[in-house]
Amino acid sequence: MNNILTVTFYGGVGSVTGANFLLQDSNTKILVDCGLQQGSVESYENNKRAFAYNPAEMDYLFITHAHLDHIGRVCKLVRDGFRGTIYSTPETRELATVMLADALRVMEMKEREFTDGPKESPLYDIKDFNQAFSLWKTIPYHTDFKINEDFSVYLKDAGHILGSSMYEFSYKGNLSTRAEYGTGQRKIVFT
């Protein structure tokens, strides 16, 4: 059976925030980033919406860097059923602990401000935060890392913020017929 390698854009399209991409074949589902949408009136409501995919079906999440428009919905992803492995550089993981804990404090503070009317729960709570970081592992720069039989990844320094990385995914699975695509592995880079 031939696998079809696809990339689907669930955020960071038509806007510079809310990065969320899905790289997949018939066996593996890899998310890249899971960020908050920011800067518009609709952002708050969009961030609360259910994901367009089933988080429980995702195998991996790779985080490019620790800005909230790339990490802000990671704990919500876990709340909604993600139990795969989260990967980033060690520096990004460290910064993400601070950023996501601070974002939770801000959400809880905003919730307390609005005492009139029904209270809305934050996107995630401390339990989701702790669960997310129990799933989070690190990969250093300039390391070839085998994800599974078909995918591997290589991290390059993006130079954006401390720990930011570009992910160069290599794919060895069948793409289609050799006549159409040639032979060898395929690469795709997320920056």
Side-chain angles (χ1 to χ4, degrees), residues 57-132:
E57 294 177 358
M58 302 297 112
D59 300 304
Y60 307 97
L61 169 61
F62 286 80
I63 301 296
T64 60
H65 65 286
H67 283 150
L68 281 177
D69 61 324
H70 292 261
I71 64 168
R73 294 201 322 155
V74 169
C75 298
K76 181 185 184 322
L77 186 75
V78 169
R79 171 180 262 184
D80 292 355
F82 177 81
R83 293 299 179 268
T85 306
I86 302 169
Y87 288 107
S88 74
T89 62
E91 298 84 1
T92 293
R93 186 184 189 282
E94 275 301 308
L95 287 172
T97 60
V98 175
M99 296 292 289
L100 291 170
D102 185 58
L104 177 58
R105 279 190 292 276
V106 169
M107 285 186 287
E108 290 171 339
M109 187 173 53
K110 292 261 185 220
E111 180 185 328
R112 285 191 299 272
E113 281 180 22
F114 301 107
T115 55
D116 296 339
K119 290 186 179 183
E120 295 192 28
S121 63
L123 293 177
Y124 57 91
D125 59 27
I126 192 66
K127 180 183 72 171
D128 307 313
F129 172 89
N130 290 332
Q131 178 73 32

Side-chain angles (χ1 to χ4, degrees), residues 2-48:
N2 290 331
N3 289 332
I4 297 174
L5 186 64
T6 62
V7 177
T8 308
F9 301 87
Y10 290 107
V13 177
S15 157
V16 296
T17 66
N20 189 214
F21 315 106
L22 174 59
L23 173 65
Q24 69 178 338
D25 71 0
S26 61
N27 301 312
T28 306
K29 294 180 179 180
I30 300 170
L31 291 171
V32 177
D33 289 336
C34 192
L36 285 175
Q37 288 185 15
Q38 299 171 305
S40 73
V41 176
E42 302 84 24
S43 295
Y44 179 73
E45 289 301 319
N46 290 341
N47 289 327
K48 291 187 335 186

